[in-house]
């Protein structure tokens, strides 16, 4: 076996077994980053049992203790952003600048939730009965299963693990199979923050084995999941059946509307950034560009020209703008959607398909289709690659109707200077997040993150609203004894 073996972190110790998985760089398939232990079902059960035992003490720690631990984690992440960014870029294929920015965000998320430990307050009501006090307490819920996807392997774990710990819960963290390096580095930093044994556990492995043990274990009180809609719905059904709490962030098929009066440079910037950066592998990527008649020809021409300039290459090379696709499976999905789009009669307005660069990797050209039928697969399915579809519409009303005609409702964007239309769009977009004159991807890290329809279920993530998932209310009436 080439490369180091990275263990799991269970019940306060680093543990391994005979099963390990190689982590391969998608920019260079000859580069093996390391081997990562795959937790067994028994090890996952042990992590959950230990987290359940640790909960009885951790829940009652002073907010100061939780603040100090999370603040320390945040500080160490920020001190090591270059190392974390390099790992993220190497294993996932995001460019170095995107990856380093994500590591930075992960550090600040821990800092934000460190302070949130102080703000974990309840509410006081005036009772309707004299001599009775009435308070609503907020209590941590117990062991939280954290199940995360591969596309934001540092920020998403940070915005789930940090609030879980801040509010007094304990954690069993299962990262996505493709990105164990980021998860391991984060866990190493968390493990050195002085948390009591069992408060935080890392169990790397597959969804079918480790993930399902977490979802079905009676001592896991809630699962915060980010991933695809089919997997989210499947685990949601199991969690509901046993009465566990859930917070599900799932897929997207995000529209960007471009109206006749839009600043064309800004529209092209938003479309290129939203559709193709991070190789289109963002749940908030703009995969549907909805353009009104008056600006349509100019927009498609300018977009096609701008796409020719995009530099696809090794994620860690300084001049790369678009890194490789994260995996062979995702590369095959992209290819099959391109073939299907051609069968469905869409027009290819750019180059497309797998491309060669210096190293052997999963490189795929940013791809633009026009004349897309609204019912075709590229119009409706989340592809999760650098593939965008342009729709021509007569006016704003048709644009809004097209934007809302989707099974998802994560982020919805518009480029226009018309304040009245901006206001109408903001109120009528069927999405959890609205972006005006901005790309559909890229949200402030301290604000809530949420979607509608097939994109989200349960309380929002991040910001103060996530407290709804990570705590449970207890209503206390107290009379005189
Ligand atoms: P995925 O659904 O395949 O996997 C997500 C996680 O679930 C992984 O850790 C996986 O191992 C685990 N899993 C799979 N099957 C499981 C099971 N039966 N039981 C328990 N766990 C299981 O998603 P992915 O391919 O890793 O990530 C891409 C998806 O994530 C896209 O759909 C994207 O839109 C979505 N995503 C959503 C958001 C958001 O906030 N809405 C953010 C990022 C990514």
């Amino acid at each position: 076996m080439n490369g180091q073996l990275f263990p799991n972190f269970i019940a306060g110790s680093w543990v391994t077994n005979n099963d390990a998985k190689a982590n391969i760089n998608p920019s260079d398939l000859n580069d093996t980053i390391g081997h990562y232990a795959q937790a067994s079902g028994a090890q996952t059960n042990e992590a959950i049992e230990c987290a359940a035992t640790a909960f009885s003490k951790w829940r009652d720690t002073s907010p100061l203790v939780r603040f100090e631990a999370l603040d320390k984690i945040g500080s160490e992440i920020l001190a090591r952003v270059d190392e974390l960014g390099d790992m993220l870029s190497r294993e996932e294929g995001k460019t170095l600048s995107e990856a380093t920015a994500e590591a930075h965000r992960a550090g600040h998320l821990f800092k934000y939730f460190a302070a949130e430990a102080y703000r974990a307050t309840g509410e006081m009501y005036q009772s309707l009965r004299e001599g009775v006090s009435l308070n609503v307490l907020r209590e941590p819920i117990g062991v939280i299963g954290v199940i995360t996807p591969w596309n934001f392997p540092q920020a998403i774990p940070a915005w789930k693990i940090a609030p879980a710990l801040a509010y007094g819960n304990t954690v069993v963290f299962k990262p996505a199979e493709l990105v164990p390096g980021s998860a391991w580095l984060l866990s190493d930093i968390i493990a050195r923050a002085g948390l009591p044994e069992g408060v935080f556990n890392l169990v790397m492995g597959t969804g079918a084995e480790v993930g399902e043990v977490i979802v079905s274990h009676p001592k896991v009180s809630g699962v915060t999941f980010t991933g695809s809609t089919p997997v989210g719905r499947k685990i949601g059904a199991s969690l509901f059946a046993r009465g566990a709490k859930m917070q599900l962030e799932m897929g997207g098929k995000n529209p960007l509307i471009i109206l006749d009066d839009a600043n064309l440079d800004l529209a092209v910037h938003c479309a290129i950034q939203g559709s193709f950066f991070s190789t289109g592998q963002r749940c908030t990527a703009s995969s549907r560009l909805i353009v009104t008649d008056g600006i349509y020809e100019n927009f498609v021409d300018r977009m096609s020209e701008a796409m020719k300039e995009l530099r696809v290459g090794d994620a860690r090379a300084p001049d790369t703008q678009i890194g490789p696709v994260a995996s062979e499976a995702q590369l095959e999905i992209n290819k099959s959607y391109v073939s299907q789009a051609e069968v469905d009669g869409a027009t290819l307005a750019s180059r497309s398909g797998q491309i060669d660069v210096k190293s052997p990797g999963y490189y795929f050209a940013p791809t633009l289709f026009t004349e897309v039928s609204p019912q075709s697969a590229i119009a409706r399915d989340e592809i999760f690659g650098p593939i965008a579809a342009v729709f021509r519409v007569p006016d704003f009303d048709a644009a809004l109707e097209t934007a809302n005609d989707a099974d998802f409702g994560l982020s919805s964007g518009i480029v226009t200077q018309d304040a009245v239309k901006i206001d109408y769009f903001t109120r009528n977009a069927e999405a959890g997040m609205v972006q005006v004159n901005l790309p559909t991807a890229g949200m402030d890290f301290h604000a809530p993150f949420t979607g509608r329809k097939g994109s989200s279920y349960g309380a929002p993530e991040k910001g103060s609203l996530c407290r709804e998932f990570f705590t449970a209310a207890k209503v206390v009436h107290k009379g005189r004894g």
Side-chain angles (χ1 to χ4, degrees):
M1 188 166 74
N2 293 326
Q4 203 180 333
L5 174 62
F6 294 89
N8 283 300
F9 187 67
I10 297 171
S13 302
W14 290 102
V15 291
T16 186
N17 59 17
N18 293 329
D19 190 9
K21 186 171 176 284
N23 187 5
I24 308 289
N25 178 350
S27 296
D28 179 358
L29 305 182
N30 295 322
D31 176 25
T32 300
I33 298 163
H35 289 80
Y36 291 79
Q38 303 291 286
S40 63
Q43 286 175 323
T44 309
N45 278 319
E46 189 194 337
I48 294 166
E49 291 291 344
C50 190
T53 306
F55 175 63
S56 60
K57 290 210 174 98
W58 181 248
R59 56 169 290 165
D60 292 327
T61 47
S62 156
L64 182 61
V65 169
R66 284 177 265 136
F67 168 85
E68 282 178 341
L70 294 175
D71 187 58
K72 188 172 175 196
I73 295 165
S75 295
E76 187 168 342
I77 292 172
L78 293 177
R80 292 170 60 183
V81 280
D82 290 342
E83 178 192 356
L84 284 153
D86 187 69
M87 170 59 84
L88 204 170
S89 183
R90 188 173 167 202
E91 71 175 349
E92 197 265 357
K94 223 168 251 191
T95 64
L96 208 46
S97 61
E98 290 170 331
T100 307
E102 183 177 334
H104 200 259
R105 184 147 48 129
H108 279 291
L109 282 157
F110 272 94
K111 295 255 174 197
Y112 174 90
F113 283 108
E116 204 60 14
Y118 290 130
R119 287 189 284 263
T121 53
E123 284 173 12
M124 192 200 79
Y125 287 70
Q126 194 170 7
S127 172
L128 303 179
R129 288 166 282 175
E130 267 183 38
V132 172
S133 71
L134 174 47
N135 293 295
V136 181
L137 311 181
R138 280 280 169 180
E139 297 183 332
I141 65 172
V143 178
I144 294 194
V146 170
I147 301 181
T148 54
W150 49 262
N151 67 326
F152 281 96
Q154 295 179 9
I156 291 178
W159 81 51
K160 292 175 184 294
I161 295 166
L165 298 176
Y167 292 117
N169 303 283
T170 56
V171 167
V172 177
F173 169 37
K174 193 213 90 64
E177 296 89 314
L178 267 185
V179 286
S182 288
W184 195 91
L185 277 178
L186 266 187
S187 300
D188 183 42
I189 292 171
I190 297 169
R192 290 186 298 105
L195 299 172
E197 177 183 308
V199 168
F200 171 80
N201 302 268
L202 167 71
V203 281
M204 296 177 282
T206 64
E209 291 177 58
V210 175
E212 291 207 359
V213 172
I214 293 172
V215 168
S216 59
H217 200 293
K219 289 190 182 167
V220 175
S221 306
V223 170
T224 173
F225 164 91
T226 299
S228 61
T229 302
V231 173
R233 291 218 162 125
K234 181 175 172 226
I235 72 165
S238 313
L239 291 164
F240 179 79
R242 67 176 183 84
K245 265 185 118 170
M246 66 189 96
Q247 182 184 48
L248 309 177
E249 283 299 338
M250 301 175 282
K253 187 74 183 172
N254 308 291
L256 176 70
I257 293 176
I258 294 155
L259 297 183
D260 286 354
D261 73 337
N263 172 328
L264 190 56
D265 289 339
L266 178 66
V268 171
H269 163 76
C270 290
I272 293 272
Q273 213 282 352
S275 305
F276 305 126
F277 279 55
S278 296
T279 323
Q281 298 171 153
R282 293 184 287 195
C283 52
T284 49
S286 327
S287 45
R288 296 185 295 138
L289 307 173
I290 301 164
V291 188
T292 46
D293 264 336
I295 196 171
Y296 182 88
E297 304 291 351
N298 282 342
F299 173 77
V300 172
D301 286 351
R302 287 279 305 279
M303 184 83 183
S304 309
E305 281 306 308
M307 287 175 68
K308 287 183 196 150
E309 305 298 316
L310 290 174
R311 295 183 299 275
V312 178
D314 187 313
R316 294 190 293 162
D319 59 344
T320 295
Q321 290 176 294
I322 315 269
V325 168
S327 69
E328 187 175 8
Q330 187 59 54
L331 184 73
E332 293 308 319
I333 291 171
N334 295 351
K335 286 183 191 168
S336 80
Y337 272 105
V338 167
S339 308
Q340 186 62 45
E342 283 165 345
V343 170
D344 291 342
T347 303
L348 188 60
S350 67
R351 62 186 174 149
S352 174
Q354 190 166 5
I355 50 179
D356 290 329
V357 306
K358 281 184 213 143
S359 53
Y362 304 127
Y363 298 101
F364 194 85
T367 303
L368 189 70
F369 280 103
T370 57
E371 317 298 332
V372 177
S373 150
Q375 296 311 319
S376 63
I378 58 159
R380 303 207 72 84
D381 297 356
E382 182 187 48
I383 302 172
F384 222 53
I387 301 171
V390 190
F391 301 82
R392 183 177 196 143
V393 289
D395 53 27
F396 171 64
D397 289 343
L400 182 59
E401 193 179 325
T402 306
N404 285 341
D405 180 20
D407 301 327
F408 301 96
L410 197 57
S411 177
S412 195
I414 191 165
V415 186
T416 178
Q417 300 176 45
D418 186 326
V420 174
K421 291 195 174 98
I422 289 172
D423 184 51
Y424 191 86
F425 172 76
T426 303
R427 284 185 289 113
N428 291 287
E430 293 173 6
M433 296 172 289
V434 164
Q435 302 272 51
V436 177
N437 293 322
L438 291 167
T440 56
M443 279 75 184
D444 286 5
F445 67 76
H446 66 308
F449 190 100
T450 187
R452 298 186 184 177
K453 301 198 263 188
S455 293
S456 296
Y457 186 87
E461 296 201 294
K462 301 198 287 142
S464 54
L465 297 186
C466 75
R467 187 179 78 150
E468 206 50 55
F469 171 72
F470 291 103
T471 65
K474 184 177 277 172
V475 184
V476 182
H477 292 87
K478 261 191 216 163
R480 290 196 196 103

